[in-house]
Amino acid sequence: MAQWTSAVGAAQLARQLQAQQPRPAGPGARRPPAYRALADGVRLLVLEGRVPVAARLPAERELALALSVSRTTVAAAYEALRTEGFLESRRGAGSWTAVPAGNPLPARGLEPLPPESLGSMIDLGCASLPAPEPWLTRAVQGALEELAPYAHTHGDYPAGLPALRQMIADRYTERSIPTMPEQIMVTTGAMGAIDAICHLFAGRGERIAVESPSYANILQLMREAGARLVPVAMEEGLGGWDMNRWRQVLRDAAPRLAYVVADFHNPTGALADEDRRRDLVEAARSAGTVLVVDETMNELYLDADVQMPRRVCAFDPAGSTVLTVGSASKAFWAGMRIGWVRAAPDVIRSLVAARAYADMGTPVLEQLAVNWLMRTGGWEHALEVRREQARENRDSLVAAVRRELPDWEFSVPRGGLTLWVRTGGLSGSRLAVAGERVGVRVPSGPRFGVDGAFEGYVRLPFTVAGPVADEAAVRLAAAAQLVGSGAGAGVEAPRTFVA
């Protein structure tokens, strides 16, 4: 029986390898042999989780043709990977990726570190902040006081608690977007909402247009659902959507879905202006594409003078073209796994019907807590705490990175939780591996792209401030020095931390 659980095609692996930036060479340094460079590239993809463990690699001849190298080069690279523990092979079953004994399995998403690792590792992998107390405690206490009537029911509300659906609908209506509770489905976080939408609208093999770069965990969700991702490049810096590119992709590729983050985009921090929002809705409607708009960062503006444009669904109030996804997880606390979808009533009915075969419903107590926050005004107070935390962290991190890594380039966003950084010609993948060796966890740019794009970037979230931000920048500088010296892609990975 074969030991591999998935497969990587030759063309796909070649694209990922060719997108990697070569390791910087010092004065007088010799280039590594071709087989060694190939082995290093595959190992780096495995360590980063962009090629999964137990994935069957292409046959030597297939990969040699895709890379335009000799079969001998590929055979030598595979043999080196086997020697180092990153490849296993068996006659008749092929070769599949592995990790050496004692090495942690690489994460394919951006999961937070376990609490026991936080004392020695600075975690810049997860864009989440601590709960905005005392509002979490008050919300849970308020929810407990209101729980008794629900405890006498079956507790199963596939569309969400009626009171919370009404509250969310009212909040849209207050923003001049008339909404009925029948247009709302409460979900288990924004990921649950988007997963439900993908399963309803985009079967395996369907095209989904995505911003390039885009949110890594959503890209992985869509890949595992079998979608064919169509990347649409964004403008540089905080420019946001390139509408010429969007019109072309929607016209030529005719994707079934398109996924965008209009407000303080993750990872770039861009804020789409009102004209782009209107134009994208019109282009999606003309193409027959369902536009999924992630609004999880909508309320996280950090500067007082930010003028927020109208929400994207304001240009499609009936919800037939625009499906809006919101969440308490970014604006309030990641541990509060409450999200929602706003769409046309018939779409909501279809989502609810399909949900019976997935998670049945969202926890009642957490729904009551969010409803309490929104009803009492606690939501707005908690948001002020959250904005103050994120603003302080952003300013500390920006100052520290500029001081320790003056060659790194970025635009400072006016809101959101992330900084998108060009790393001065260094490989983001090698920085991620080297960072874990020196005690800082950072996701590399290719996690946010399709097939190896953005090798020269990393994403830094606003999760640390003060001395911790200073130390994080010092450790990033140490990682950059390792990569620049050619020591950043060694075989050794950290043995005491789980990524």
Side-chain angles (χ1 to χ4, degrees):
M1 180 177 177
Q3 301 299 306
W4 48 272
T5 58
S6 62
V8 181
Q12 177 189 357
L13 184 58
R15 286 194 300 271
Q16 290 180 288
L17 289 165
Q18 289 164 350
Q20 290 179 336
Q21 292 179 309
R23 184 187 306 174
R30 295 181 179 178
R31 295 183 61 183
Y35 85 90
R36 183 70 262 171
L38 175 55
D40 285 348
V42 173
R43 185 181 64 233
L44 196 62
L45 292 172
V46 173
L47 286 172
E48 261 243 299
R50 290 188 287 121
V51 167
V53 176
R56 186 180 187 275
L57 294 187
E60 294 170 2
R61 186 185 304 276
E62 293 175 358
L63 186 57
L65 288 172
L67 291 172
S68 299
V69 299
S70 70
R71 183 177 177 181
T72 302
T73 297
V74 177
Y78 278 15
E79 180 58 32
L81 289 167
R82 277 189 287 269
T83 301
E84 295 160 3
F86 285 90
L87 196 69
E88 296 180 11
S89 303
R90 193 171 70 236
R91 185 179 298 276
S95 299
W96 57 91
T97 55
V99 292
N103 280 54
L105 288 175
R108 299 195 71 189
L110 302 178
E111 299 85 355
L113 284 173
E116 61 268 21
S117 299
L118 295 178
S120 52
M121 178 75 73
I122 298 177
D123 186 7
L124 297 181
C126 189
S128 298
L129 293 169
E133 289 287 32
W135 297 105
L136 173 62
T137 299
R138 292 181 183 177
V140 173
Q141 290 171 342
L144 287 171
E145 292 173 0
E146 299 174 3
L147 181 61
Y150 296 94
H152 295 292
T153 74
H154 49 63
D156 185 2
Y157 297 90
L161 292 183
L164 182 55
R165 296 176 73 194
Q166 182 70 63
M167 181 61 65
I168 294 170
D170 290 346
R171 290 175 66 84
Y172 280 103
T173 300
E174 290 166 4
R175 289 158 176 79
S176 301
I177 307 168
T179 303
M180 303 178 294
E182 292 81 6
Q183 290 180 261
I184 302 296
M185 181 177 82
V186 180
T187 62
T188 307
M191 292 285 288
I194 294 169
D195 182 57
I197 291 168
C198 288
H199 279 90
L200 180 63
F201 284 94
R204 298 192 69 85
E206 290 276 8
R207 294 186 181 93
I208 301 180
V210 295
E211 298 151 321
S212 184
S214 186
Y215 179 36
N217 287 341
I218 294 296
L219 293 181
Q220 190 60 34
L221 181 156
M222 292 174 175
R223 289 188 189 102
E224 293 184 359
R228 298 165 60 189
L229 301 184
V230 183
V232 185
M234 297 186 71
E235 293 183 354
E236 287 292 321
L238 301 178
W241 301 331
D242 184 324
M243 285 310 305
N244 289 331
R245 287 192 173 110
W246 268 106
R247 291 187 189 95
Q248 180 179 359
V249 166
L250 292 173
R251 182 182 64 247
D252 296 346
R256 185 71 181 93
L257 288 179
Y259 168 77
V260 297
V261 183
D263 309 301
F264 310 117
H265 176 263
N266 185 353
T268 68
L271 176 64
D273 61 36
E274 197 158 296
D275 288 341
R276 282 184 173 90
R277 294 172 187 235
R278 180 188 296 105
D279 291 347
L280 185 57
V281 172
E282 292 176 355
R285 184 181 293 117
S286 297
T289 297
V290 175
L291 185 60
V292 182
V293 180
D294 185 333
E295 283 192 342
T296 53
M297 299 285 186
N298 176 265
E299 298 183 277
L300 287 179
Y301 51 86
L302 304 184
D303 298 329
D305 60 342
V306 173
Q307 296 295 316
M308 291 298 296
R310 283 185 288 172
R311 299 189 179 198
V312 177
C313 58
F315 304 102
D316 179 49
S320 57
T321 295
V322 177
L323 277 57
T324 302
V325 173
S327 173
S329 299
K330 294 296 186 186
F332 185 74
W333 183 47
M336 189 68 77
R337 304 305 304 165
I338 299 294
W340 55 86
V341 180
R342 181 198 179 276
D346 62 314
V347 173
I348 294 297
R349 286 192 295 271
S350 297
L351 288 169
V352 171
R355 185 178 196 176
Y357 306 100
D359 65 354
M360 296 296 291
T362 303
V364 170
L365 189 62
E366 292 184 28
Q367 292 188 70
L368 288 172
V370 172
N371 188 60
W372 184 92
L373 284 165
M374 292 180 172
R375 190 185 72 246
T376 62
W379 182 264
E380 281 68 29
H381 289 296
L383 277 173
E384 286 302 320
V385 175
R386 170 64 76 237
R387 292 184 190 115
E388 184 177 350
Q389 288 176 320
R391 186 184 307 114
E392 178 185 355
N393 291 359
R394 178 195 64 180
D395 296 346
S396 294
L397 188 64
V398 165
V401 173
R402 281 177 170 165
R403 182 177 61 251
E404 300 294 335
L405 293 150
D407 293 339
W408 288 17
E409 303 173 20
F410 52 85
S411 300
V412 181
R414 309 292 303 282
L417 291 172
T418 57
L419 197 66
W420 185 237
V421 181
R422 192 193 301 267
T423 56
L426 299 178
S427 162
S429 298
R430 289 189 168 88
L431 280 167
V433 174
E436 296 215 13
R437 294 172 60 187
V438 299
V440 60
R441 180 172 180 254
V442 58
S444 70
R447 288 184 179 270
F448 304 88
V450 177
D451 283 341
F454 307 109
E455 185 62 64
Y457 289 82
V458 293
R459 189 197 71 171
L460 304 181
F462 309 149
T463 53
V464 294
V468 180
D470 294 338
E471 179 62 21
V474 168
R475 295 185 187 187
L476 284 171
Q481 187 173 7
L482 279 176
V483 173
S485 68
V491 173
E492 288 296 320
R495 297 179 182 270
T496 54
F497 309 113
V498 179

